[in-house]
Amino acid sequence: MTAKCAVCQIHAESVFKVEGMDCHEEVAILERTLKRLTGLEALDADVMAQRLRVKHDAAVLSPARIAEAVARTGMRAWLEHESAVQPSADTGARTRLVVASGVLLAAGLLARLIPGIGGLGWLPFAAAVVLAGIHPARRAWVSVRSRVLDINVLMVVAVCGAVALGEWSEAASVVFLFALAQLLETRAMERARGAIRALMDLAPSDAVVHRDGADVRVPVDEVRVGELIVVKPGEKIPLDGTVHAGESHVNESPVTGESLPVEKGRGAEVFAGTINGRGALQVTVTRLGRDSTIARVVHLVERAQAQRAPSQMFVDRFARVYTPVVLTIAVLVAVAGPLVAGGSWNQWIYRSLVLLVISCPCALVISTPVSIVSALAAAARKGVLIKGGARLEQLAAVRCIAFDKTGTLTHGRLRVVNVVATDGVPAPEVLRLAASLESRSEHPIGHAIVEHARRERLVIGGAEGFQAMPGRGAEGLVDAEPVVVGNHRLFEERGLCSPGAHASLESLTAEGCSTVMVARGGRTIGVIGVADEPRESAAAVIEMLREQGVEHVVLLTGDHERAARAVAANAGISEYRASLLPEDKVAAVEDLRRRYGVLAMVGDGVNDAPALATANVGIAMGVAGTDAALETADVALMADELPKIPFAIRLSRAAAKNIRMNIGFSLVLKGAFLVMALTGTATLWMAVVADMGASLIVIGNALRLLRE
């Protein structure tokens, strides 16, 4: 038989949703089963998302054959992009069996109190074992066929051992508690997964589109870019777009976490999944449903779930060693116990059965991923996108944060803060003349001067013979008089400076302002101070960060030294570095990392990309609708809100603490029961309660993060 030609291979990747994949033992079963298939190249399983990614040769192995192979393990799989298959009735049947088993167990215990029952007292216990043991026995058989020693196999062996020893009540208690704990664990895991599914359900599945003069409701997948959709008051916006007509307030909290509604008018950007207020909107679609901001967020959150944190990798490595070691001890206890320490064979076999039960590391293995997924979901709900467990753990370790200035500690909006007259001309007239000339300019400083004049209700005239001088200023005729507006360099070149103008210039520069000088008829008549508008919350946010253990806060900016000093003083930052080029910022970040350790850099995600990439954790602000920043930042703040940063730090540290608590609790409990089993003070039902109860406790503890 000739080998298949490599050229004929058709490489494909299929992503399945897998029902029933709830623990790493199921992953091991899937791996052993699927690796026997011809054409399989690689597979990757994500327990928390119940997702299986399979790379295969499509010419040899089809998705249908993969799904059939999964079905042989007792689990069910379907392609992720297809509609989900009907939910299994297995959970309902399991619930009824567990309840019936519990009733029979109680009946057996009560029967012991009734005299005369005699030798028939074991019957209710036997029935309880059968009913509660159906599901674990079925899963154990699949595991044995796959040559995987999981908790179901260990439990069946333990129950059979208890029956062989005549401990019917013990066997019934063990199998009932195990089945009940598995049922509760499945439901607790579903709650954790539901936090992510809630994000996916934010955007509506259909939209009202204006076509051929009529409004028709169609699925969002059928809406094309450029079409006009109609959003009624109170409805969710189905797709990303820009407002074509109408005015309303939109609740953007599902996407950005912003609690206050945002006013939207013609030309404003809106996002799928956000909630329209009282006004009707007509929106021009700019992105298809699969490319919308919320769809990208969900995709990135799901991708982040699959990334393994260092603590998770440690736990997985530990679990691979722990189980075989404890199993070996269990065999030695059963065989060597009576020979070395004395006592009956029944006594030592019973102790080995207890060891079998506690040899499964379920609680330990699940302790980290459920905490990470809960934290990622809690962050996403507040408009903070953290790119995986590794980033979450690094964020928790941050001790130094470097902030960019423009658009981060400031709004990135220039405003006039002072107008100083220098030649007897009233300040409003200085502003009016400058605004009249700058009304023809495209420069941001010019826009700030014009906007300020309008707010002051000044009459802005036209300018004739307008001429821009890049890097210096502009000149022209206002009211038939020559007017010059520009920087100090231009005025020095033209000999327009005066002692009074110099004094005003130095005073405004000392306040951190950028200065614009104004001359009329060859004489300087005033100086205008323009500054970037600082964020009102900056100082409070810096204080919150310090309270959370961030020991060093640094300002990095390309602006001049006095502007940097003013913004740093306003925010309560003692260390700043000014006049930095992009490469200087990178060098500064590297230096801060050497000095202070784990460092986070906060910027706009575009201009600060090199510095963000150099930091241990790059945090980009206000990235809703910004593809590049969403993809490249380690942490993306969907809204332009500084308070999201201390929230992210607090959440990451709570998650790190939660993970440590879960791992520590699991290890201590396992260690304690290992000792108790060897000394004969632990019973089988106690071991089951400890093992499965520990899983429930660590899941419940992790779910607390959803309330952060």
Side-chain angles (χ1 to χ4, degrees):
M1 184 175 178
T2 57
K4 183 176 176 67
C5 175
V7 178
C8 300
Q9 289 185 327
I10 304 174
H11 299 284
E13 181 175 276
S14 299
V15 182
F16 296 86
K17 296 293 286 185
V18 182
E19 183 185 68
M21 185 172 67
D22 295 315
C23 195
H24 79 291
E25 283 96 349
E26 279 92 358
V27 174
I29 292 170
L30 283 173
E31 287 177 346
R32 284 186 178 271
T33 301
L34 296 181
K35 282 180 178 178
R36 299 171 190 161
L37 298 176
T38 304
L40 185 81
E41 296 172 1
L43 61 87
D44 179 51
D46 179 4
V47 171
M48 285 306 303
Q50 289 189 308
R51 181 182 290 106
L52 181 68
R53 192 179 302 274
V54 181
K55 293 181 180 179
H56 57 101
D57 181 356
V60 177
L61 182 61
S62 67
R65 281 192 59 206
I66 297 171
E68 288 172 7
V70 173
R72 290 198 295 272
T73 68
M75 293 173 259
R76 298 196 305 163
W78 61 93
L79 288 171
E80 188 175 44
H81 65 270
E82 296 178 348
S83 299
V85 297
Q86 287 297 314
S88 172
D90 187 50
T91 303
R94 283 173 62 191
T95 303
R96 290 190 291 273
L97 288 172
V98 170
V99 170
S101 175
V103 171
L104 287 166
L105 174 61
L109 294 174
L110 288 173
R112 285 185 166 182
L113 304 177
I114 301 173
I117 295 294
L120 298 178
W122 61 273
L123 288 175
F125 294 128
V129 168
V130 171
L131 292 180
I134 289 174
H135 180 74
R138 191 166 60 222
R139 297 301 294 269
W141 173 243
V142 172
S143 300
V144 169
R145 283 195 310 171
S146 303
R147 298 196 297 278
V148 173
L149 200 62
D150 69 357
I151 183 61
N152 294 286
V153 176
L154 299 174
M155 196 60 59
V156 168
V157 171
V159 170
C160 291
V163 168
L165 295 174
E167 300 286 348
W168 282 101
S169 62
E170 189 91 355
S173 300
V174 165
V175 76
F176 167 71
L177 290 171
F178 176 69
L180 177 63
Q182 276 201 324
L183 200 60
L184 294 174
E185 184 179 345
T186 298
R187 294 189 174 179
M189 290 286 283
E190 278 302 309
R191 185 182 167 196
R193 294 179 182 122
I196 298 298
R197 281 200 298 268
L199 287 174
M200 301 173 67
D201 295 336
L202 285 175
S205 58
D206 52 30
V208 176
V209 185
H210 190 73
R211 289 177 179 171
D212 302 324
D215 293 341
V216 292
R217 187 172 292 276
V218 299
V220 291
D221 292 339
E222 296 180 10
V223 182
R224 299 182 296 273
V225 171
E227 287 197 292
L228 203 63
I229 59 175
V230 179
V231 186
K232 295 178 181 178
E235 289 185 342
K236 284 185 177 181
I237 296 172
L239 294 159
D240 286 8
T242 56
V243 176
H244 174 75
E247 292 183 354
S248 184
H249 285 82
V250 175
N251 178 0
E252 295 188 337
S253 60
V255 174
T256 66
E258 167 62 66
S259 56
L260 296 176
V262 181
E263 187 175 353
K264 300 290 184 179
R266 183 179 175 85
E269 188 175 19
V270 292
F271 305 115
T274 57
I275 304 165
N276 188 22
R278 295 184 176 181
L281 294 176
Q282 290 185 341
V283 176
T284 302
V285 175
T286 57
R287 288 192 182 97
L288 299 176
R290 63 177 178 272
D291 301 323
S292 68
T293 298
I294 191 64
R296 295 202 313 278
V297 168
V298 170
H299 171 69
L300 290 169
V301 170
E302 289 178 334
R303 196 167 72 189
Q305 288 183 71
Q307 295 180 4
R308 303 168 82 79
S311 58
Q312 187 175 352
M313 290 187 285
F314 158 75
V315 166
D316 288 346
R317 288 195 301 269
F318 179 86
R320 283 197 292 269
V321 174
Y322 169 82
T323 299
V325 167
V326 177
L327 286 174
T328 303
I329 294 173
V331 173
L332 289 174
V333 165
V335 176
L339 302 176
V340 176
S344 68
W345 283 93
N346 283 3
Q347 177 188 10
W348 286 100
I349 290 173
Y350 184 87
R351 292 181 186 183
S352 71
L353 294 177
V354 175
L355 280 170
L356 280 181
V357 173
I358 66 169
S359 66
C360 182
C362 274
L364 184 62
V365 171
I366 206 67
S367 61
T368 301
V370 74
S371 297
I372 289 172
V373 168
S374 296
L376 294 179
R381 284 194 319 207
K382 295 290 182 66
V384 179
L385 186 58
I386 302 174
K387 303 289 188 67
R391 303 292 189 277
L392 188 71
E393 290 194 357
Q394 277 196 315
L395 190 60
V398 164
R399 289 295 176 268
C400 176
I401 294 185
F403 284 90
D404 176 50
K405 181 181 79 71
T406 305
T408 304
L409 291 178
T410 65
H411 285 289
R413 299 192 299 263
L414 293 175
R415 64 184 178 92
V416 174
V417 296
N418 205 349
V419 180
V420 180
T422 61
D423 196 42
V425 178
E429 179 64 8
V430 173
L431 179 61
R432 186 189 72 83
L433 291 170
S436 297
L437 187 62
E438 292 287 7
S439 64
R440 300 284 301 278
S441 171
E442 295 296 325
H443 197 280
I445 291 179
H447 286 178
I449 291 172
V450 172
E451 286 299 316
H452 187 69
R454 286 174 178 160
R455 283 195 296 270
E456 295 293 317
R457 301 183 182 278
L458 300 178
V459 178
I460 300 174
E464 299 177 1
F466 175 84
Q467 183 178 351
M469 293 171 280
R472 288 178 171 79
E475 62 182 343
L477 296 177
V478 179
D479 301 335
E481 288 191 88
V483 174
V484 179
V485 175
N487 56 24
H488 186 214
R489 178 182 174 186
L490 173 64
F491 274 57
E492 285 286 357
E493 289 174 352
R494 297 204 173 182
L496 294 173
C497 280
S498 65
H502 267 296
S504 300
L505 192 74
E506 290 179 1
S507 174
L508 290 172
T509 303
E511 295 174 8
C513 294
S514 297
T515 53
V516 177
M517 304 183 77
V518 184
R520 180 178 64 181
R523 297 195 333 268
T524 299
I525 59 173
V527 182
I528 300 174
V530 179
D532 194 356
E533 190 175 352
R535 293 183 186 269
E536 299 78 7
S537 60
V541 165
I542 301 303
E543 184 60 31
M544 280 190 281
L545 289 171
R546 291 200 172 102
E547 289 173 358
Q548 290 173 5
V550 178
E551 299 160 358
H552 308 282
V553 181
V554 184
L555 173 64
L556 304 178
T557 179
D559 212 339
H560 59 81
E561 198 272 343
R562 288 178 175 176
R565 184 197 310 154
V567 171
N570 177 72
I573 298 174
S574 57
E575 184 177 351
Y576 62 89
R577 302 185 187 187
S579 303
L580 300 178
L581 296 172
E583 55 268 28
D584 297 328
K585 283 188 181 180
V586 170
V589 166
E590 290 173 341
D591 177 56
L592 292 170
R593 285 180 61 179
R594 283 192 297 270
R595 288 169 56 193
Y596 301 130
V598 181
L599 175 136
M601 172 74 191
V602 185
D604 61 14
V606 180
N607 297 332
D608 302 307
L612 292 176
T614 305
N616 298 98
V617 182
I619 303 176
M621 287 184 57
V623 301
T626 308
D627 296 346
L630 263 178
E631 291 290 342
T632 57
D634 299 316
V635 178
L637 310 184
M638 304 301 291
D640 206 20
E641 290 184 305
L642 274 178
K644 301 291 185 186
I645 298 170
F647 162 75
I649 297 285
R650 186 181 76 246
L651 177 66
S652 66
R653 292 190 173 162
K657 181 180 177 182
N658 193 284
I659 290 169
R660 288 194 298 270
M661 287 173 60
N662 282 349
I663 292 174
F665 172 75
S666 302
L667 288 175
V668 168
L669 195 66
K670 291 289 183 184
F673 267 82
L674 184 64
V675 173
M676 291 170 66
L678 291 172
T679 57
T681 54
T683 63
L684 268 177
W685 71 264
M686 288 170 60
V688 172
V689 170
D691 185 75
M692 301 308 295
S695 296
L696 293 174
I697 289 170
V698 298
I699 291 172
N701 187 40
L703 290 177
R704 291 189 305 114
L705 293 169
L706 292 172
R707 299 196 297 269
E708 283 289 331

